[in-house]
Amino acid sequence: VENNNILVLGVGNILMSDEGAGVYVVRSLEQNFQFSENISLLDGGTLGMRLLNPISRASQLIVADTAMLGFSPGTISRLTMDDIRTGNIVKNSMHQLSFAETLNMAEMMGFLPPMVIIAIEPFDIVTMGTTMTSFITANFDNFCMRVLDEIMATGGTFSKKERVLNNMFIGCN
Amino acid sequence: MARIVIDPVTRIEGHLKIEVEVTNGQVTDAWSSGTLFRGIETILQGRNPEDAWLFTQRVCGVCTYVHGVASVQCVENALTTKIPDNARIVRNLLMGGQFVHDHPIHFYHLHGLDWIDVVKALEADPAKTAEIARTISPDAPTIDFAAVKTRLAGFVDSGQLGIFNGGYWGHSAYLLSPEENLLFAAHYLTALRQQLIAAEMHAIFGAKNPHIQSLRVGGVTCKFDITTERISKFRNLLTQMRNFIDRVYIPDVKYIAKKYNNWKSIGGFKDKFNYMSYGGFPLDSSETNMLFPAGVILNKSATVDTLNLSQITEHVSHSWYTGSALHPSVGQTTPSFTKYDTADKYTWLKAPRYNNVAMEVGPLARVLIAYNKNVSSVKTLVDSFLQDASLTAVDLHSTLGRAAARALETKVIADAMDGWLTSLNPNGEVLTTTTIPDTGTQQGFGLTEAPRGALGHWINIQNGKISNYQMVVPSTWNLGPRDSSGNRGPVEQALIGTPVADASKPLEVLRIVHSFDPCLACAVHVIDTKKDKAYTIKVS
């Protein structure tokens, strides 16, 4: 199957420590890699329902997020829509309409493309701060790699940018 | 006597806790508590006044534009800057876009599930549903109700309710037939698609949505976006929204008003029925000729008093702040958390008062003020709605009145937007150059009407920097606590007398709270950690 519009969506709140991890992944990928034309990267922040538009236009959705699944902090999981429906995703947003609800809405409206979430177990999503804890930064490269794996598996290609000013942690201050 | 605590109230933006006392199946007392602290005012101290709007706009991701425009307006007021006419029109279109986006979402996605029992829709006969749909609105686009039913059944049968999880399905206060429920569930999905159109429209002159980019002190920056091509794109999207409002939204609200007729006498703001509007959508450069005029209604009066800003104070005696009741121009935000105690301090919201009395703000206030002032577009529409729904003007002081006023003003605004588009001048100036003096002091205020009501920003500038900044936002007016004399805020008053059939499922309480369209992100001043993760109903 040809995927002409793969949306890589980082969601979370960058003001709440580890809660911003998904957004930092997208920023890091954007800074470090050149992607094929069928890939778009989007910092989804805490936009909730307002992400329905880009989601509706995608042929494949790859989400980077945090999820509290009870693993040790920094553990990376791969989740699908079945996990969302059964409520395995904790409402980790300050917003009442969480991202999981947004996905549910997209599905109910009939335009949710095939979807996978690469999620990292956070340590702290409560303290206000614009940096992630060491539990996340220690495994951040792997987190990015897992998202890149999904991009490859769904038909995207990429190459490392020639001039990279920083290391992978470019988005993490 | 039982105490019911709903914490947090969901299907709103931000965090709100409502506690009610129920005696013999009726609410006898109520407390409204905002559980977040907002620090924007503190962050702004010492910054360049021209940058303030970029911060204030981000106080919330729902009505994102409104805190931007109130901020540039308060700086313009301090500098006595007049903006070009084209800028005024663009700002009206941006604000109008916000209303046309927000209000249908409120009715269908935030308030709708208080009226509609989604699970009951599964018993519906799709053919009969189509018949009802034709009766309610013959011009509405046809819907494949059987397909919608199948999709809903997929969610419900698997036990995975998704977005519909946590509702009080089967509650005795739901009065619609299965077919009616299916119709509204289908419109819930229609409205979801529709709001994507409204957001797209907002981005034409705003550059993006949410958090538009095109404001500036002195006007707007989208000069080169005002082209005939973009105007016609805007009109195309606006026409789609107007069709939706006329053929789906208003007929639906009318139908709900008929089916839930008893809610015309429940949820009014009892003691005084006071309403206030700062006036919204300036129609010329005079700042007094508004689509929705400014004014104050005291005690259900048919006359409208002139708004006198010096009468506004913010009380803090039941809020977690120190200080006394002050006018926003000299307002202070000094947090002092004690504990949640309904007999003492119980919220992060202050209690704004006008002439020391509580005021309801928002769609109902705007519509009543315009109606009493004989604004013809509003009067005609309200009268025909009341007639069709078998209601009288006095019934508007209620839960139903709020839902109706919200729908009707959406139409008034959307219709006016079409005219504003025509009056945009593609070659017109959009910006007045401003300079903030390096020395001296200036004071200013910016007033506007946000979807949820009267919004004001107050600024003090000293030597070119912000020395004080205060925001008094709509949800603070509506959801604020008792004042220093112990008088309840609007939602606290509105809840008293509400029938509660089942204290463990306070659907009726939510119906009223949601009718105010609470949006607490800006009303309160980051999250109480562990407690707010779960949705709890405590009955004691």
Side-chain angles (χ1 to χ4, degrees):
Chain A
V1 186
E2 195 183 322
N3 264 325
N4 51 18
N5 189 2
I6 303 170
L7 177 64
V8 183
L9 182 63
V11 292
N13 186 336
I14 54 165
L15 301 179
M16 310 291 281
S17 309
D18 295 342
E19 234 272 305
V23 171
Y24 291 127
V25 167
V26 164
R27 286 186 184 179
S28 173
L29 295 180
E30 200 162 28
Q31 305 249 9
N32 290 284
F33 295 90
Q34 190 84 47
F35 290 92
S36 50
E37 281 195 355
N38 58 347
I39 303 284
S40 22
L41 301 171
L42 184 67
D43 166 359
T46 55
L47 287 179
M49 250 169 78
R50 287 175 197 247
L51 292 168
L52 285 171
N53 222 340
I55 290 173
S56 72
R57 291 179 184 146
S59 60
Q60 167 74 45
L61 181 61
I62 301 168
V63 178
D65 196 2
T66 50
M68 294 169 76
L69 304 171
F71 298 124
S72 58
T75 307
I76 297 163
S77 312
R78 184 183 192 278
L79 304 164
T80 63
M81 199 56 204
D82 286 339
D83 302 302
I84 305 279
R85 281 192 220 101
T86 48
N88 278 348
I89 303 271
V90 174
K91 274 192 189 180
N92 59 358
S93 165
M94 280 176 63
H95 294 69
Q96 288 299 330
L97 278 168
S98 71
F99 184 65
E101 282 171 271
T102 303
L103 293 173
N104 272 310
M105 279 184 176
E107 185 171 54
M108 188 159 287
M109 289 162 80
F111 61 50
L112 184 70
M115 197 255 337
V116 61
I117 298 179
I118 304 301
I120 195 159
E121 185 83 23
F123 174 70
D124 181 358
I125 60 166
V126 169
T127 306
M128 288 208 98
T130 53
T131 51
M132 297 183 283
T133 62
S134 58
F135 292 96
I136 309 299
T137 52
N139 210 17
F140 190 76
D141 276 2
N142 281 329
F143 191 16
C144 293
M145 291 301 181
R146 290 284 295 271
V147 173
L148 289 172
D149 288 347
E150 294 296 335
I151 290 174
M152 263 193 300
T154 51
T157 57
F158 51 87
S159 55
K160 198 136 172 67
K161 280 186 181 168
E162 280 173 19
R163 282 185 69 240
V164 177
L165 299 174
N166 270 306
N167 62 16
M168 289 283 273
F169 300 112
I170 198 146
C172 324
N173 296 343
Chain B
M1 194 174 75
R3 285 272 185 123
I4 308 175
V5 179
I6 310 178
D7 180 22
V9 175
T10 56
R11 278 186 280 123
I12 63 165
E13 168 67 13
H15 290 251
L16 173 69
K17 167 173 168 174
I18 293 284
E19 181 163 345
V20 292
E21 191 178 87
V22 177
T23 315
N24 302 325
Q26 272 204 338
V27 175
T28 45
D29 208 344
W31 296 266
S32 162
S33 172
T35 54
L36 290 164
F37 169 76
R38 171 185 82 205
I40 287 270
E41 280 114 329
T42 316
I43 294 170
L44 288 173
Q45 308 266 341
R47 291 188 185 269
N48 185 332
E50 287 187 285
D51 295 344
W53 75 274
L54 289 158
F55 290 86
T56 56
Q57 189 183 208
R58 283 159 176 79
V59 73
C60 176
V62 175
C63 46
T64 80
Y65 169 72
V66 306
H67 290 287
V69 79
S71 180
V72 290
Q73 276 178 255
C74 75
V75 181
E76 286 156 3
N77 179 262
L79 304 175
T80 64
T81 302
K82 295 277 173 214
I83 65 168
D85 218 36
N86 240 17
R88 173 185 62 77
I89 299 167
V90 168
R91 287 185 184 180
N92 277 348
L93 289 167
L94 288 168
M95 185 62 97
Q98 183 75 56
F99 274 76
V100 168
H101 183 251
D102 266 26
H103 280 358
I105 289 184
H106 178 266
F107 179 68
Y108 288 99
H109 309 122
L110 305 179
H111 206 192
L113 301 180
D114 297 338
W115 310 106
I116 309 159
D117 185 336
V118 180
V119 173
K120 216 169 169 189
L122 301 182
E123 299 161 25
D125 173 348
K128 277 190 197 156
T129 309
E131 239 166 78
I132 297 173
R134 274 193 297 275
T135 323
I136 295 180
S137 176
D139 299 329
T142 50
I143 293 175
D144 182 346
F145 290 107
V148 174
K149 189 180 160 183
T150 310
R151 205 179 290 163
L152 282 176
F155 272 82
V156 176
D157 292 349
S158 60
Q160 299 161 353
L161 281 164
I163 42 177
F164 300 130
N165 211 348
Y168 298 137
W169 313 128
H171 193 288
S172 64
Y174 283 118
L175 303 177
L176 301 183
S177 70
E179 285 74 21
E180 290 162 339
N181 281 304
L182 179 58
L183 171 66
F184 283 101
H187 285 178
Y188 177 104
L189 300 175
T190 311
L192 264 183
R193 283 184 182 276
Q194 208 63 40
Q195 58 96 16
L196 303 176
I197 295 171
E200 204 177 326
M201 187 173 83
H202 209 223
I204 292 178
F205 298 124
K208 69 181 186 61
N209 170 289
H211 302 135
I212 61 107
Q213 300 277 73
S214 56
L215 275 172
R216 217 187 126 172
V217 171
V220 293
T221 59
C222 53
K223 184 177 165 79
F224 299 106
D225 288 323
I226 306 175
T227 60
T228 46
E229 189 198 347
R230 289 179 81 80
I231 291 171
S232 104
K233 187 176 178 195
F234 195 109
R235 196 184 305 277
N236 178 304
L237 298 169
L238 177 62
T239 305
Q240 294 180 50
M241 286 310 295
R242 291 175 67 199
N243 287 341
F244 171 76
I245 293 163
D246 289 345
R247 296 172 188 173
V248 183
Y249 183 22
I250 288 185
D252 280 358
V253 174
K254 214 177 270 179
Y255 197 77
I256 290 285
K258 279 191 223 164
K259 291 286 161 178
Y260 285 93
N261 185 270
N262 56 328
W263 283 80
K264 69 185 181 195
S265 48
I266 305 172
F269 166 24
K270 313 253 160 11
D271 290 4
K272 296 287 180 200
F273 296 94
N274 302 320
Y275 302 92
M276 185 188 77
S277 164
Y278 291 156
F281 300 100
L283 298 172
D284 54 39
S285 56
S286 71
E287 290 176 22
T288 50
N289 183 19
M290 304 270 193
L291 181 67
F292 286 95
V296 171
I297 293 179
L298 292 170
N299 212 354
K300 255 187 195 174
S301 165
T303 54
V304 177
D305 294 346
T306 307
L307 173 75
N308 175 359
L309 290 178
S310 66
Q311 294 296 328
I312 297 173
T313 49
E314 285 197 294
H315 293 228
V316 292
S317 49
H318 290 278
S319 319
W320 292 309
Y321 300 97
T322 54
S324 53
L326 295 170
H327 185 268
S329 61
V330 291
Q332 290 172 352
T333 306
T334 315
S336 172
F337 181 76
T338 45
K339 62 171 184 178
Y340 177 83
D341 179 359
T342 53
D344 182 24
K345 288 177 179 275
Y346 57 92
T347 179
W348 285 112
L349 270 71
K350 296 177 181 177
R353 293 293 183 264
Y354 181 85
N355 202 2
N356 285 319
V357 294
M359 292 279 156
E360 175 169 346
V361 299
L364 183 56
R366 280 189 291 264
V367 166
L368 286 173
I369 288 166
Y371 186 83
N372 289 358
K373 291 192 104 167
N374 287 312
V375 173
S376 64
S377 57
V378 174
K379 185 130 182 41
T380 317
L381 194 61
V382 170
D383 282 335
S384 90
F385 182 92
L386 290 174
Q387 195 179 354
D388 294 351
S390 312
L391 296 170
T392 60
V394 75
D395 299 332
L396 289 171
H397 304 280
S398 65
T399 309
L400 279 185
R402 274 179 214 111
R406 195 171 281 115
L408 297 175
E409 72 167 7
T410 313
K411 175 169 170 58
V412 170
I413 294 164
D415 290 353
M417 286 170 77
D418 195 68
W420 298 334
L421 267 182
T422 308
S423 57
L424 264 183
N425 172 8
N427 302 309
E429 264 318 312
V430 296
L431 197 62
T432 305
T433 313
T434 55
T435 337
I436 295 172
D438 290 340
T439 55
T441 58
Q442 295 86 33
Q443 273 203 349
F445 57 86
L447 304 178
T448 189
E449 281 291 319
R452 290 164 183 82
L455 169 66
H457 286 200
W458 277 262
I459 192 170
N460 290 347
I461 305 172
Q462 197 170 5
N463 301 331
K465 304 285 183 210
I466 297 170
S467 61
N468 197 18
Y469 202 102
Q470 290 289 319
M471 302 156 65
V472 184
V473 309
S475 290
T476 318
W477 283 100
N478 286 338
L479 296 139
R482 285 154 171 77
D483 56 32
S484 51
S485 317
N487 295 317
R488 296 178 187 88
V491 84
E492 294 178 333
Q493 290 190 31
L495 284 166
I496 290 173
T498 307
V500 176
D502 178 350
S504 65
K505 294 177 176 170
L507 175 63
E508 301 91 341
V509 169
L510 285 176
R511 225 174 241 173
I512 294 173
V513 174
H514 282 146
S515 75
F516 284 90
D517 194 2
C519 186
L520 274 284
C522 71
V524 289
H525 293 246
V526 177
I527 180 168
D528 178 9
T529 57
K530 283 137 200 122
K531 228 174 70 191
D532 283 322
K533 291 229 178 67
Y535 176 67
T536 56
I537 301 284
K538 269 197 321 217
V539 184
S540 59

